[in-house]
Amino acid sequence: KDALCKVATMNIGLPDTLAYYSPEEFSAGFKKTMAFQPRVIKQNRGSSGEGIWIIKLKDENYCKEYGERSCEDGEKLVLMEANDNHEEEHTVAEFVEFCVHGRTDKSGEWTSKGVGKYLEGGKEAGGQLVDQRFCPRIVEGELRYNLIGDSLIGVIHKKPKEGGISAVGGTGSIYTFYGPEEPLFASLTENFLKKDLPHVMPSLDLADEPLPLWWTTDFINASPPGTKAEDEKWIVGEFNCSCVGISRCLAAYCKDDTPTAGWDDITEEDKAEAKRYGDLMGEKALGILSKK
C-alpha cells in the first residue's frame, strides 16, 4: 500500500496520502487528518478489503483547515470495513489501540473478522498503515483496469451493493465488463497508459524491473459531480499484483451460496477470454526473459 504514497504527486495520486510505520506516527497523524475530513485507513497486509476502514466522525465536526485541530481520544468514529461493508462505532482511542495492539481491554468490543495489529513487526515485516482521503463518489463504483504488462486487456466497473461502499467480490457488488477501448473511459485510459504508466515503476524505486505479468489498478473518481469527463481526476485506490484473480472466472468461485462451483460453470465465452489472457501472459513473459 505504500505505493499509494509514492504516486501521491502523480496525476493518479492524492497529495494528502500518508504512511505510518510506528504507533506514535499513526496516533498523531491520524488524529490530525481525521479531524479535517473523512478518511480511509488501509493496512499494508491482507486482501479482499480486510483491514481497510472507511471512517467518519460521528458528530461530523470537521475543522475548516487541515491542522487546525486534532481529534480527542474520546471522540466517536463510525467505521465501515471494506471486506464485508459491516459498520462499527468506536472512540478514536479504541481504533488506534485496535490498529496497534489488536483486541485488548482498551480496544472495546469489535465485530471485525480481522485481528488488528497492523503495525506488528515493523516496516521490515510489512507493518504499515496508509491514510488517504475518502472520495465519496466511491459509491458510484470503482474502475478496475486489468493489465498484462503494459497491455490493457479490459476494464471492470465494480459497483457496491446498495448502501455499501466496498465492491469487493462476495459482498453483493455488481461487475460490468468493458473492453480496453471503451469510449466511456477514453480520457482516463489515454492519460493512464500514455502519461502515467511509464512513470509508475520508477516512482516505486523499481525502474529496472518489468511491469507485473498480471496486475490491476483500481481507480476512484475524485472529481466533484458534474465535472466533464475529459476533466475528471481519477485516483488510484489500490494496485494489485500478488493475488489477482481472473474476473472472467468468477463463476467458478466457491462461496457459501455456491459451494460446488467449478470450471464447468464458466461460460464458453469467458473461458475463451481467460485463455487469451494466459496466452498473452506467456508472450509477455517470453519477451521479458529474452531481454535477460
Side-chain angles (χ1 to χ4, degrees), residues 68-85:
E68 190 176 286
R69 79 175 189 92
S70 291
C71 286
E72 300 292 334
D73 282 342
E75 289 188 59
K76 283 281 189 178
L77 304 174
V78 178
L79 308 102
M80 180 180 284
E81 193 171 14
N83 62 329
D84 57 8
N85 286 322

Side-chain angles (χ1 to χ4, degrees), residues 112-133:
S112 170
K113 297 175 183 176
V115 297
K117 302 181 183 181
Y118 304 133
L119 299 177
E120 191 171 56
K123 185 176 182 179
E124 296 74 16
Q128 175 197 341
L129 284 164
V130 169
D131 181 347
Q132 194 172 44
R133 183 194 320 169

Side-chain angles (χ1 to χ4, degrees), residues 70-265:
S70 291
C71 286
E72 300 292 334
D73 282 342
E75 289 188 59
K76 283 281 189 178
L77 304 174
V78 178
L79 308 102
M80 180 180 284
E81 193 171 14
N83 62 329
D84 57 8
N85 286 322
H86 86 279
E87 199 169 275
E88 305 195 28
E89 287 190 15
H90 292 280
T91 65
V92 170
E94 287 173 342
F95 179 64
V96 171
E97 177 72 10
F98 180 75
C99 290
V100 176
H101 298 296
R103 288 176 171 82
T104 71
D105 57 359
K106 297 180 180 179
S107 69
E109 294 293 325
W110 289 76
T111 58
S112 170
K113 297 175 183 176
V115 297
K117 302 181 183 181
Y118 304 133
L119 299 177
E120 191 171 56
K123 185 176 182 179
E124 296 74 16
Q128 175 197 341
L129 284 164
V130 169
D131 181 347
Q132 194 172 44
R133 183 194 320 169
F134 173 66
C135 298
R137 292 186 69 179
I138 184 67
V139 296
E140 299 172 15
E142 304 171 79
L143 294 180
R144 168 159 288 190
Y145 274 50
N146 289 297
L147 297 105
I148 296 174
D150 58 359
S151 298
L152 177 65
I153 53 92
V155 179
I156 307 172
H157 178 235
K158 306 195 301 176
K159 191 177 189 306
K161 181 181 178 181
E162 191 67 32
I165 292 177
S166 171
V168 168
T171 60
S173 50
I174 300 170
Y175 284 26
T176 306
F177 296 85
Y178 297 92
E181 298 180 0
E182 172 57 46
L184 284 171
F185 317 124
S187 180
L188 171 59
T189 300
E190 174 83 5
N191 288 330
F192 177 53
L193 295 182
K194 294 186 177 179
K195 297 180 181 179
D196 296 308
L197 189 55
H199 303 289
V200 168
M201 296 302 279
S203 74
L204 303 180
D205 303 319
L206 296 170
D208 296 329
E209 296 293 329
L211 287 162
L213 278 179
W214 177 237
W215 64 292
T216 68
T217 302
D218 291 346
F219 287 103
I220 302 167
N221 196 335
S223 305
T227 304
K228 293 181 179 178
E230 61 269 23
D231 297 326
E232 287 178 333
K233 179 178 176 62
W234 290 81
I235 61 98
V236 175
E238 189 170 60
F239 291 113
N240 297 284
C241 67
S242 63
C243 55
V244 181
I246 296 178
S247 296
R248 290 283 187 173
C249 298
L250 275 176
Y253 175 29
C254 292
K255 307 187 297 296
D256 289 342
D257 58 337
T258 56
T260 62
W263 176 253
D264 291 338
D265 295 303

